[in-house]
Amino acid sequence: MEKEVKAYNDKQTPNDQEICDQLAAIINNELAEAESKVWHAHPVWFLDGNPIVGYSKQKAGIRLMFWSGADFEEDDLNVKGAKFKDASIFYNNFSEIEATNLNRWLKKSREIQWDYKNIVKRKGQLERLK
């Protein structure tokens, strides 16, 4: 696990740390080619410089967000962004994480991507990469 990501996880409560550690392990396993780092204060994984998946501590729990998740057509990713193509799910206990679902979503995150890397250059307009 990337040092910055581990440091982020270690700052969480024991329950949230367990969730974060499990999410990081599954993401690192499925997206082995991805670069991970703490970006905008929380762990994010990138493919070719494009943000794909990340998680953060919020009031509702640990939010797992897929930048292009709105196009995954997955009912469990039910927190959809209003402006962009993101979709999320919240976890409050590590036992809520279903590895089969998470692995499927991670595969889709590789196949379905919007170009967030160049969103500033395109003045907020998203283009589909894959």
Side-chain angles (χ1 to χ4, degrees), residues 62-115:
I62 299 296
R63 178 184 183 204
L64 176 67
M65 185 183 92
F66 291 91
W67 265 255
S68 301
D71 289 340
F72 292 3
E73 297 180 3
E74 293 280 348
D75 291 338
D76 288 336
L77 295 175
N78 55 15
V79 181
K80 306 253 192 297
K83 188 175 178 184
F84 299 112
K85 302 285 185 179
D86 60 297
S88 304
I89 186 170
F90 283 91
Y91 297 108
N92 289 291
N93 192 292
F94 82 96
S95 65
E96 297 171 344
I97 299 170
E98 295 182 29
T100 304
N101 289 346
L102 182 49
N103 282 317
R104 185 177 64 251
W105 301 335
L106 290 165
K107 284 179 174 71
K108 287 184 177 187
S109 74
R110 188 183 288 117
E111 299 163 5
I112 301 169
Q113 290 183 42
W114 287 84
D115 187 5

Side-chain angles (χ1 to χ4, degrees), residues 1-6 8-9 20 23-24 27-28 31 33-57 63-68 106 109 116-117:
M1 187 181 317
E2 173 67 39
K3 282 183 181 180
E4 290 181 309
V5 173
K6 176 144 180 46
Y8 176 92
N9 293 358
C20 292
L23 290 173
I27 295 167
N28 284 331
L31 296 178
E33 75 277 24
E35 172 196 3
S36 64
K37 62 183 177 183
V38 173
W39 187 58
H40 296 288
H42 63 273
V44 176
W45 282 256
F46 298 81
L47 291 175
D48 298 321
N50 199 39
I52 300 299
V53 62
Y55 54 82
S56 62
K57 171 65 178 161
R63 178 184 183 204
L64 176 67
M65 185 183 92
F66 291 91
W67 265 255
S68 301
L106 290 165
S109 74
Y116 285 92
K117 178 172 68 173

